[in-house]
Amino acid sequence: MRPSWGTRRSAMSSLARILTRAEIRLASASGGFIPALAGPGRIVVTATRSGFERNATQFGEYFVQALAGGAGKGAGSAEGADTDKDGRLSVLEVFDYARREVARAYEQEKRLLTEHAQLDDDGDGKGTLEPVATGGDGALAATVFLTAERTMAVADTADPEVRRLYARRDSLERLVVGLRGTRGSMRPEVYERELEELLVELAMTNRALREREKQP
Amino acid sequence: MSRAIKAIRAIEQAAIVVIAGTAGAAVAGTAQERPDAGAEALRRGRYEEAIRLLGAGADRGEERAARLVGRALTAVGRHADAEQRLRSYLAAHPNARVLWLPLGDVLRERGRLADAEQAYVRAAAPRGPDSLAAALRLAELKDHRGDWTGARGDYRRFITTYNAAARLSSEDLTAVARAVRHLGREDPQLFKDALRAYDEAVRADSGNLDARVEQGDLFLDKYNGTEARATYAAVLKINPNHPGALLGQARAAQFEGSPEALPLARKSLEINPHYVPALVFVAQLDLEREAHDAALKRVITALDVNPTSLEALALLAATRLLQGDSSAFQETVARIRGVNPRYPSLYTTLADLTGRTRRYRRALEFARQAVALDSTSWRGHSLVGVNQLRLGQAADARKSLETAFAGDPYDVWTKNTLDLLDNLDRFKSAGTARFRFLAASAEADLLALYAGPLAEEAYDSLAARYQFRPGTPLRVEVYDRHADFSVRTVGLVGLGALGVSFGPVVAMDSPSAREPGQFHWGAVLWHEIAHTFHLGLTDSRVPRWFTEGLAVFEERRARPGWGDHVTPEFLAAFLQLHLVPVSELNRGFTNPDYPEQLRHSYYQASLVCDLIVAEHGLGALRALLQAFRQGRSTAQAFQAVLGTDPEAFDRRFNAYVRERFAKPIAALRSWQSADEREHRSLEELARRARRAPDEFDAQLVAGQAAFIAKQFETAESFLVRAKELFPEYAGTDSPSWYLAQIYQHRGARARALEELEALTSINAGHYPAWLALAALRDSSSEKAGAARALEAALYVYPFEIPVHVRLAELAADLGWWPTAIRERRAVLALAPVDRAEAQYQLALAYFGAGKLDEARSAVLRALEAAPGFERAQELLLKIREARRDAGLGTSPQRVQRAQR
């Protein structure tokens, strides 16, 4: 039996998962782990940027808070770490949440920030304080998830319409991300119009998908 | 942009070659002379003894003794005696060249400049022992007359002389230092050379205390208070009665904002009651606290000693101006011009004092006149810039301050203000109908949500009360760093105030500049806007004490619990007679005797307003403002409006306080400081409390200690009693706060609520109390009450996202859509991690309010960040449907997209 494309894709995802590793070091003076552990397919997170930041850190508390709180709920709470609302938490999202909450806590307590968490995932052994998904440090971390993976129901369905709707949904989401990247080069009213068109279609597709999936 | 401030500290490489020398000729008074008792007594400041011993020596024909007795008599202000002594010795000994210089100095101090000049000419004879010192004084006389060109040329010759001389005496080196210092206004590098020369002078003769004092003066003029203090201290260690060193310490204390300034200056005057620089200094302090009559008396005393003292004349002009005596002011200006037609310091003095008394437009005019007279008046340029900034002219201010800093790179005040302007460039601006707000970019959007509507409300409320409308827009600067706010207000870091009004411009600390909950920023904003009204109404003539009291009074009228409230410390100060009498209340603000007196003065002044209203009605407050506008003093205004004099009002006020706070006053007989209580055990404190059931302090402290030890029943009994004794007390450690926590712990919800409500109705700045109150009401589904408590908390500290989130949720449940929208916008302004969620919630709030366009915009932002956000997707579709139903049309769309 020839494996379905969905099965092959799952297998490859599993393999990719095995080849990717995340090292999360939450202790004080942990910055030195980045050059030591960095490598291809490795995500290294440390609570400090060097071994000289020796004070007890708060980063770990917020890192765990992000994970424990789940994803997709109120802004400004621990549950707000899932910033792209895809129902799962990437390493990048959890890192970003913890980093920003640490800064907020120090600011409110009127204390100097004595810990600077870092992330390295491009293997160059140099951590970044504010990694982003679009390139450099952060790109890999944005694709590795620490919580349950979004259900790939498409792999299990025999309904061609459901499969089509999933494919369409994924395509539309990619289009939105692509459009977002061109924002600076478009007239604002044109951008807004095109964005709304895509999002409306995405919403309608998602609504149709859910209704379809409810059908016996 | 970084600016390097110059610091006048250690001597570095000098432009002039220093050849330290010892005295060649046997000049009287140098260290090489055989020391005698009279000279030693003079050096040590035992002036009467010195006068006696040296006088005897002079009588015996000792030239050196004659010179020194002249110095001693001058040091204690016995100018006539000094002149008589010196002249009679010269009459008997015409070749006594060493007496001409001290004679000239006495005559100069008495303002007899022509006679002084003659004496100096005699002393300046070539190869004379005082020729260099006398030449300096002749140059200074030219300078005094306004002949800067001539004086400058003379000063420059000192450099040549210095470089060419093989050795110079200590007095000669002092003269060189002073000459070079005068030249520093055109080349600031020369100040360091002056410092070096003073150093050499002291090394040449460690007994040359005058050189050290001048060195200290130089440090202070160049804003180095620490070195100045140390230098004066070194002099006072040798001679504790040196009038110049005592005055120097007084000036250094003023520079540091210490209350020691006046006592030290007075000490200087005890030694020499005719010491014009000290009389002028004290008169200036009098003017700063708006005690015009006292200042006038002192300035007249100074001018009786020296009618040509330009500093005294400048202060006389300032006093006349502040008294509103325009013709006397003009006469004095004319008199100054008669002495020196190009005296910029007159105008910098006027600018400084009118600025300190809040007349900023006038201050700017005067500063401009200083600069017009002398383009090298760097102080003048600085005052132009600072006052332009106070009036909201930021771009012009920068130019003026850059000019000032280029001319005097030691001026830390100017540097700080320029650095502040650099910071202001990163501020974001937001406007309302009548206000323009500037705040740090990170918090501008948040603060605008609350400050804007509050300021507009304050404007309307105060305009209705005072029948006056200040010009708009009013500018409000909110500083996220307290250091920046301090610089904005006085130019030197360390100010304790929270806000200031310059009239059209208000500046204040942001709540983020302090610990959370440390102050009530909403009340401060209202307070400062009130000042803008008072200043405008009175053309800035309102005395400090009255506008502060009235502004606190206005805070209390704005909202329950706003404004200062009575504390045990205040009543203890009242009982111990530590409050300033009402008749002198300005002093509590300008020269407090102890640090807390400033805070007490605010509350005291507000009680004065309460009393006036209670006995004369609200109209009396407006009438007093009018009286001040007409230039009346406090005494005159009180007489005209209240029919009483300040001393009688003092008595009435004291009776009023005793009556109003009779109960707590009776219970405060044994108020202890925190230090006194610190090391007592709970048992000791409980015993004390049981022995003293009518003493508030005993009850409160025992209750607090029991609370900390978690002995809640014991704590409750003491705290209840404390509250009975002083029900008005609502501080952060008040009985109500502890009782609320005890009742909450016990599950006695209603009693906890009662305590928290009582507390916050008096002290709306108690942040944790508001949050506790909100939580209690929330837990009982009293949504409106919970929302109101959360809203009140935001005017204390608005930077906690969970507070805004909960208030938004409550508001939505209650259908308070404007509040829900505002709170969701606040969450976004606080840059939450989950921005998509925040935008979605905002969209929901707009949707609930029926604002479909805004809802659509917000939900698009949410989906832009998180396209897979299903709840937001559904909302987008609902909004489209609602728009369609409302006939607004959906946004244009192509249903069939091209497949990409």
Side-chain angles (χ1 to χ4, degrees), chain A residues 72-77 79-87 93 96-98 100-101 104 107-110 150 168-169 171-177 179-180 183 191-207 210, chain B residues 443 480 511-516 797 799-802 805 827 830-838 841 856-857 859-861 863-871 873-874 876-878 880-881 890-900:
Chain A
K73 295 188 190 166
S77 66
E79 297 151 338
D82 177 22
T83 51
D84 63 4
K85 302 299 182 193
D86 64 355
E93 282 174 324
D96 198 50
Y97 175 89
R100 291 168 70 161
E101 290 301 297
R104 196 192 303 278
E107 170 63 31
Q108 285 189 349
E109 292 162 21
K110 295 273 161 281
R150 197 181 196 181
R168 184 65 189 139
R169 185 190 74 178
S171 166
L172 285 166
E173 284 184 5
R174 284 196 295 275
L175 285 172
V176 170
V177 172
L179 179 68
R180 211 166 60 191
R183 182 178 187 168
Y191 173 81
E192 286 294 300
R193 189 176 63 241
E194 295 208 7
L195 178 71
E196 186 170 3
E197 285 172 15
L198 284 174
L199 289 171
V200 167
E201 190 176 345
L202 176 58
M204 289 169 69
T205 302
N206 215 24
R207 185 187 266 182
R210 285 196 305 278
Chain B
E443 52 185 60
D480 58 335
S512 67
R514 307 271 188 149
E515 298 286 330
Y797 191 73
F799 292 102
E800 295 195 313
I801 289 178
V805 169
V827 171
L830 285 166
V833 175
D834 193 349
R835 201 160 175 83
E837 178 72 28
Q841 294 292 342
R856 181 175 83 190
S857 182
V859 82
L860 287 178
R861 297 285 73 78
L863 288 166
E864 182 184 25
F869 190 178
E870 291 189 0
R871 286 180 289 136
Q873 290 171 358
E874 275 306 303
L876 176 62
L877 295 178
K878 272 194 204 156
R880 283 171 52 83
E881 284 152 18
T890 58
S891 59
Q893 69 161 4
R894 293 185 296 241
V895 175
Q896 299 294 327
R897 278 197 67 81
Q899 296 293 317
R900 292 182 192 175

Side-chain angles (χ1 to χ4, degrees), chain A residues 1 4-11 149-164 166 209 213 215:
Chain A
M1 179 178 162
S4 70
W5 182 83
T7 309
R8 187 182 302 135
R9 193 165 159 208
S10 286
E149 218 176 302
R150 197 181 196 181
T151 305
M152 298 292 283
V154 65
D156 302 324
T157 186
D159 184 341
E161 178 58 9
V162 166
R163 293 163 75 97
R164 187 194 71 77
Y166 269 117
L209 180 57
E213 282 179 324
Q215 290 171 6

Side-chain angles (χ1 to χ4, degrees), chain B residues 224-358:
Chain B
N224 190 336
T226 310
E227 298 270 9
R229 277 263 206 194
T231 307
Y232 298 132
V235 171
L236 290 168
K237 210 169 164 185
I238 299 168
N239 176 356
N241 296 321
H242 195 294
L246 287 165
L247 177 62
Q249 288 287 42
R251 290 177 57 223
Q254 190 200 25
F255 176 75
E256 291 158 2
S258 160
E260 289 174 20
L262 186 55
L264 282 165
R266 283 193 174 136
K267 210 169 160 191
S268 176
L269 285 169
E270 280 168 23
I271 306 297
N272 179 353
H274 299 134
Y275 189 32
V276 169
L279 288 165
V280 166
F281 178 77
V282 176
Q284 177 138 358
L285 293 179
D286 289 334
L287 283 181
E288 285 174 14
R289 62 184 179 90
E290 298 173 25
H292 302 148
D293 292 342
L296 183 65
K297 210 166 144 184
R298 234 174 281 278
V299 158
I300 287 173
T301 303
L303 289 167
D304 283 344
V305 175
N306 180 355
T308 64
S309 162
L310 289 170
E311 292 80 12
L313 285 168
L315 268 194
L316 177 63
T319 308
R320 294 303 193 191
L321 177 77
L322 293 173
Q323 284 179 320
D325 188 343
S326 167
S327 62
F329 168 70
Q330 296 296 345
E331 268 170 36
T332 311
V333 170
R335 192 169 152 188
I336 292 170
R337 286 192 183 135
V339 175
N340 180 346
R342 294 186 68 249
Y343 184 54
S345 296
L346 161 64
Y347 295 103
T348 55
T349 301
L350 291 171
D352 193 28
L353 283 165
T354 47
R356 285 178 192 271
T357 50
R358 302 171 303 284

Side-chain angles (χ1 to χ4, degrees), chain B residues 218-225 255 379 408 410-413:
Chain B
L218 176 56
F219 279 129
L220 200 54
D221 286 349
K222 294 300 134 199
Y223 305 91
N224 190 336
F255 176 75
R379 179 91 181 109
D408 183 2
Y410 298 97
D411 187 345
V412 65
W413 184 1

